[in-house]
Amino acid sequence: MPQFNPEYFAPQLVWLVITFLALYLLMSRLILPRINGILAQREDRIDGNLQRAEALKEEAAQVLAGYQKAIADARAQAQAALAKAAADIAAETAAREAEFARKMADQTAAAEAGIRAAKTRALADVRGIAGEVAAMMAGKVADTSVDANAAAEAVDSVMKERT
Amino acid sequence: MAAEAHSPLAQFEIQPLGGPIHIGGLDVSFTNSSLWMVIAVAAITAFMLLGTRKQAIVPGRWQSLCEGMYDFVSNMLRDNVGQEGRAYFPFVFSLFMFILFANVLGLLPGAFTVTSHIVVTGAMALFIFVMVTIVGIVRHGLHFFTYFAPQGAPMWLMPLMIPIEIISYAIRPMTLSIRLFANMVAGHVMLAVIGGFAFALGVWAGWLPIAAVTALFGLELLIACLQAYVFTILTCIYLHDAIHLH
Amino acid sequence: MDIEAARFIGAGLAVIALGGAGAGLGVLFGNYLNAAVRNPAAAEKWFGRMMMTFALVEATGLFAFVVAMIILFV
């Protein structure tokens, strides 16, 4: 077997030492620090990204809080405006109603006054007519002439008794 | 008995490339073995260097492969040795990559398998053995030798246990080197023998051995990776023993 | 006996040990499959361990192969 031929033991050993030493130096000085660097860099990047994501999340939460606050403010404002409008409308309605009521009262009062005047006029007319009728009745029935004034007085007194 | 030109062992023959070189009485001729060691180192360096050339945050396929190998060895070391093993990471990583690339490159047709030589695997295993023993003695002083007396074993068993432990410790470089060496030799011999059948059987039945060789090649690829893994993980386990004493 | 013939007989005897490795691999894969069928969820976890043990067991058989090779060719 060629493996047990001691003729080539020495060169193999020498070259094994040379090549393995070269490989060891290349790996430990060049390749491994390089891969280590890449891995460390990646880890840093991932950590950085995580931190940034955290910050973004916080920011988003703040924005959300602000938005909710704005919404709440707007709602409060709207409610205030609504209440004010409702109050205004109520006040105006009340004012109008009051005016209307006053107008109605005036008209009623005027109408009542007219009615009263008409009534008194009618009553006066009635008295006059009653006096005349009484005088005529007296003349016709009793065949006595009664003075118009006396008849009117009598009617007055009777009306006073009746009313 | 030397292997003939077409024996299955011819592929393990070492041929000097260029003339013999001697430095201070030491034969340092550049052989095909040396060539494939250099190729393995160059391939590893190129593979890792080109794979990580972009240094991308989001890795591509190649870079993922490089990082995967880094993670693979790193996790192996962490799981088997613990945090103290961090210092040996470059060594363990180089070892894993060297054996892996030597094994896999050796499977290329016409290539020379560096790890199919007992001198190479033996030297690596012996270096690991010596390194691990020194680490143990430096970390624990004379207390290191309590490693050979398992805790909890009854006292009367000690005369039996201690020699067994010492032998199983001392035999480690042998098992470690022969495991890798024998796997590589057996695989390549098997491929060569069955490939030789293809010539012997000719055109009509030659496809059968070729199909077998194709299937075996897959197995050998698996074994090439597996043996690199086993060699590395056993190195890790030995380191663990030296650092933690069981 | 011819020394060459003794060599071949010795190599043949040495590779008998491969039977042990074969039995060991059978036990290993059989037990793995047994466990994997009983608990498929855990099968993945132990695959790596199984492959490592496979390599260790297989290496034991290969020691015999190496011994045979040494007898034959050294």
Side-chain angles (χ1 to χ4, degrees):
Chain A
M1 258 178 127
Q3 278 90 338
F4 299 108
N5 179 5
E7 189 190 339
Y8 288 113
F9 278 8
Q12 284 196 70
L13 285 176
V14 168
W15 281 99
L16 176 67
V17 170
I18 292 170
T19 49
F20 194 80
L21 209 62
L23 180 67
Y24 179 79
L25 289 177
L26 278 169
M27 290 294 132
S28 62
R29 293 283 147 82
L30 183 63
I31 307 287
L32 295 179
R34 198 157 152 167
I35 297 180
N36 221 346
I38 293 172
L39 294 181
Q41 203 183 339
R42 179 173 312 152
E43 205 157 300
D44 281 0
R45 175 74 77 88
I46 289 170
D47 280 357
N49 281 355
L50 280 179
Q51 274 169 6
R52 221 168 54 210
E54 198 75 22
L56 279 177
K57 196 175 153 197
E58 222 157 85
E59 205 181 303
Q62 275 174 3
V63 167
L64 185 67
Y67 169 74
Q68 275 170 346
K69 193 171 163 292
I71 291 265
D73 284 358
R75 188 169 292 156
Q77 261 174 17
Q79 263 166 358
L82 211 63
K84 194 168 161 288
D88 283 356
I89 288 168
E92 200 167 329
T93 313
R96 280 203 190 152
E97 263 174 13
E99 203 184 340
F100 181 68
R102 195 167 44 75
K103 241 183 226 168
M104 287 298 286
D106 283 358
Q107 281 176 2
T108 314
E112 272 174 4
I115 289 166
R116 214 169 12 247
K119 196 176 165 186
T120 44
R121 214 166 42 238
L123 277 178
D125 287 355
V126 165
R127 205 171 48 201
I129 291 165
E132 280 172 27
V133 169
M136 269 169 64
M137 293 265 288
K140 287 259 173 82
V141 174
D143 215 13
T144 53
S145 94
V146 178
D147 187 26
N149 286 341
E153 273 172 30
V155 168
D156 270 354
S157 68
V158 171
M159 278 175 82
K160 262 179 196 143
E161 275 168 31
R162 295 281 169 89
T163 53
Chain B
M1 192 166 103
E4 304 89 47
H6 289 293
S7 94
L9 296 175
Q11 56 181 323
F12 303 120
E13 212 73 68
I14 288 188
Q15 278 126 17
L17 307 170
I21 310 165
H22 290 270
I23 297 173
L26 198 64
D27 184 8
V28 292
S29 315
F30 194 77
T31 61
N32 51 356
S33 170
S34 323
L35 174 69
W36 283 95
M37 285 180 199
V38 172
I39 289 175
V41 170
I44 295 165
T45 311
F47 176 80
M48 298 305 278
L49 214 55
L50 292 177
T52 58
R53 72 189 181 285
K54 282 187 209 146
Q55 313 213 358
I57 293 295
V58 179
R61 264 176 286 187
W62 197 349
Q63 195 182 327
S64 295
L65 206 59
C66 296
E67 287 174 11
M69 286 180 154
Y70 180 97
D71 281 344
F72 179 71
V73 179
S74 168
N75 288 340
M76 200 198 302
L77 198 65
R78 202 186 49 231
D79 294 346
N80 289 293
V81 186
Q83 211 52 52
E84 297 93 332
R86 215 47 221 170
Y88 307 100
F89 179 60
F91 173 72
V92 174
F93 187 78
S94 310
L95 193 69
F96 175 73
M97 292 304 273
F98 186 76
I99 296 172
L100 180 69
F101 271 71
N103 288 353
V104 172
L105 286 174
L107 281 173
L108 292 174
F112 181 86
T113 316
V114 175
T115 43
S116 70
H117 273 252
I118 186 77
V119 206
V120 174
T121 62
M124 288 195 288
L126 206 62
F127 178 77
I128 289 163
F129 177 76
V130 171
M131 179 185 90
V132 160
T133 310
I134 289 173
V135 165
I137 290 175
V138 165
R139 278 188 92 95
H140 300 286
L142 288 178
H143 194 67
F144 172 70
F145 293 100
T146 59
Y147 176 77
F148 299 116
Q151 278 173 346
M155 218 48 204
W156 57 270
L157 264 179
M158 281 304 169
L160 193 62
M161 293 290 271
I162 290 172
I164 288 177
E165 286 286 327
I166 289 175
I167 289 171
S168 78
Y169 188 78
I171 211 169
R172 275 175 178 182
M174 276 205 267
T175 54
L176 195 59
S177 59
I178 292 179
R179 182 177 298 113
L180 178 57
F181 152 73
N183 266 290
M184 288 302 113
V185 171
H188 284 82
V189 165
M190 194 158 58
L191 286 180
V193 167
I194 296 176
F197 289 166
F199 285 103
L201 290 175
V203 183
W204 298 112
W207 59 271
L208 203 66
I210 290 177
V213 163
T214 310
L216 281 173
F217 193 86
L219 178 73
E220 286 308 314
L221 208 56
L222 171 75
I223 284 179
C225 300
L226 206 57
Q227 287 304 324
Y229 171 67
V230 168
F231 199 97
T232 319
I233 205 164
L234 285 172
T235 306
C236 290
I237 290 169
Y238 296 163
L239 265 175
H240 168 91
D241 285 351
I243 290 173
H244 300 291
L245 295 183
H246 280 294
Chain C
M1 195 193 286
D2 183 15
I3 186 81
E4 200 66 11
R7 223 181 236 268
F8 285 131
I9 292 171
L13 288 176
V15 288
I16 289 175
L18 285 172
L25 287 178
V27 169
L28 169 66
F29 282 105
N31 281 342
Y32 174 74
L33 277 182
N34 208 343
V37 168
R38 276 167 197 269
N39 186 3
E44 192 79 2
K45 192 181 154 195
W46 297 104
F47 186 79
R49 215 47 91 72
M50 195 263 300
M51 280 326 251
M52 193 192 134
T53 321
F54 157 73
L56 295 179
V57 172
E58 194 214 18
T60 329
L62 289 171
F63 292 154
F65 168 82
V66 170
V67 170
M69 284 306 228
I70 290 172
I71 293 171
L72 275 181
F73 296 111
V74 177

